[in-house]
């Protein structure tokens, strides 16, 4: 089988489409999808800003409610203080009026004059004519208390009003900033919409180019496949013909022979022929028979050598037995001679000479 080779694209349109697709792929990897891409604005950041704005509005509404409640409590407190001060002033005025009336009575009109009759003729005390040291007339410890509290209440009202004005100004400023922000986001949305439309247009154009490229690639692949099929058919037919007609492909044993009858082509040798196998078998049979005959002759020779060795061993044993027997007879004769000599020595020289003789001969009875 023949493996397919890589197809070289010669069409400039196809190469241009490939380059454009590669650039767009890199662009998508770098900038992500068109819905997440805009001109200088981040959708996630915008959503976070909207969430933060809503949270800030809720927080400001809560602060406004708390501020209104505080102002209401301050107003009620000031009203209560003013009412208390008015009641206190009324009580003080009534007490002072009563005191002045009691001090303006004559001694005859005063009830305590009945206690001391001698003081009837005394005139009533003129409080206005008394000095401060007499402690008969004084305005109290804090002469400007009511005025001071009135001024303080006025200051609190002014401060509260200034705070309300500042809060209203801040709210107006926030509204203006929100309006500008909304206008900016509207412009950003329009730019984003234009970018998406442009991206869709480019995407459609790229899809058309890719379709043309795919069609060209499919046509080239189809032509290449047809050429490969034809080549495979030719190769298959050639293989079949070579297998049927060639000695090499059919593994014929004769295709390994050379001009030398005793040598073959090793890289083409496919085994022995039947005649060669038969001749080799006969030759091996002859070799086996010759080996068996040689082994039989060697066995006969070995047997003959064994018989000869046995005869030699028997002869040597007989010779050794005769030599041992002769040595025994000789020893007996020597002993008999020695005994006879000892007896003769005893008789001639006595016992001492006999011991000396026995010592010299190496035997002692």
């Amino acid at each position: 089988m023949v493996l397919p080779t890589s197809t070289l694209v010669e069409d400039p349109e196809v190469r241009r489409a490939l380059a454009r697709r590669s650039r767009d792929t890199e662009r998508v990897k770098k900038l992500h999808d068109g819905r997440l891409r805009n001109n200088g604005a981040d959708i996630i950041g915008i959503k976070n800003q909207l969430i933060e704005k809503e949270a800030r509005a809720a927080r400001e509404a809560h602060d406004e409610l708390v501020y209104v409640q505080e102002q209401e409590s301050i107003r009620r407190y000031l009203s209560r203080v003013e009412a208390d001060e008015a009641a206190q002033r009324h009580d003080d005025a009534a007490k002072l009026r009563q005191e002045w009336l009691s001090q303006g009575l004559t001694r005859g009109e005063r009830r305590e004059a009945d206690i001391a009759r001698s003081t009837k003729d005394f005139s009533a005390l003129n409080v206005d004519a008394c000095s401060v040291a007499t402690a008969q007339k004084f305005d109290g410890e804090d002469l400007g208390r009511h005025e001071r509290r009135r001024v303080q209440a006025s200051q609190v009202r002014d401060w509260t009003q200034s705070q309300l004005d500042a809060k209203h100004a801040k709210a107006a400023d926030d509204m203006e900033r929100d309006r500008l922000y909304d206008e900016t986001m509207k412009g950003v949305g329009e730019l984003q919409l234009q970018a998406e439309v442009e991206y869709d247009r480019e995407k459609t154009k790229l899809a058309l180019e890719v379709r043309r490229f795919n069609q060209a690639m499919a046509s080239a692949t189809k032509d290449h496949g047809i050429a490969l099929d034809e080549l495979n058919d030719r190769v298959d037919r050639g293989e079949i013909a070579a297998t049927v007609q060639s000695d090499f492909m059919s593994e014929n044993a004769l295709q390994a022979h050379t001009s030398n009858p005793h040598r073959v082509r090793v890289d083409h040798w496919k085994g022995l022929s039947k005649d060669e196998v038969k001749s080799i078998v006969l030759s091996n049979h002859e070799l086996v028979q010759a080996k068996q005959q040689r082994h039989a002759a060697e066995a006969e020779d070995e047997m003959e050598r064994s018989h000869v060795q046995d005869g030699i061993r028997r002869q040597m044993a007989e010779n050794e037995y005769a030599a041992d027997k002769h040595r025994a007879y000789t020893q007996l004769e020597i002993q008999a001679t020695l005994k006879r000599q000892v007896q003769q020595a005893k008789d001639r020289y006595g016992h001492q000479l006999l011991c000396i003789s026995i010592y010299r001969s190496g035997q002692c009875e």
Side-chain angles (χ1 to χ4, degrees), residues 73-98:
S73 62
I74 292 172
R75 186 184 62 77
R76 288 196 300 268
Y77 174 74
L78 292 176
S79 300
R80 187 169 59 254
V81 169
E82 290 178 355
D84 294 340
E85 290 179 353
Q88 186 67 28
R89 286 197 299 271
H90 183 270
D91 294 341
D92 293 342
K95 290 180 180 179
L96 183 60
R97 188 180 301 107
Q98 185 66 28

Side-chain angles (χ1 to χ4, degrees), residues 66-82 152-161 163:
V66 172
Y67 177 76
V68 171
Q69 293 176 356
E70 290 178 353
Q71 293 299 320
E72 182 65 21
S73 62
I74 292 172
R75 186 184 62 77
R76 288 196 300 268
Y77 174 74
L78 292 176
S79 300
R80 187 169 59 254
V81 169
E82 290 178 355
Q152 289 177 353
S154 177
Q155 291 176 352
V156 170
R157 283 194 299 271
D158 295 339
W159 179 81
T160 303
Q161 187 64 33
Q163 291 293 320

Side-chain angles (χ1 to χ4, degrees), residues 249-271:
M249 296 301 297
S250 62
E251 297 185 356
N252 189 356
L254 298 177
Q255 55 90 26
H257 288 180
T258 61
S259 59
N260 191 345
H262 300 290
R263 298 181 66 87
V264 295
R265 297 178 63 182
V266 179
D267 55 343
H268 289 70
W269 191 68
K270 301 298 181 180

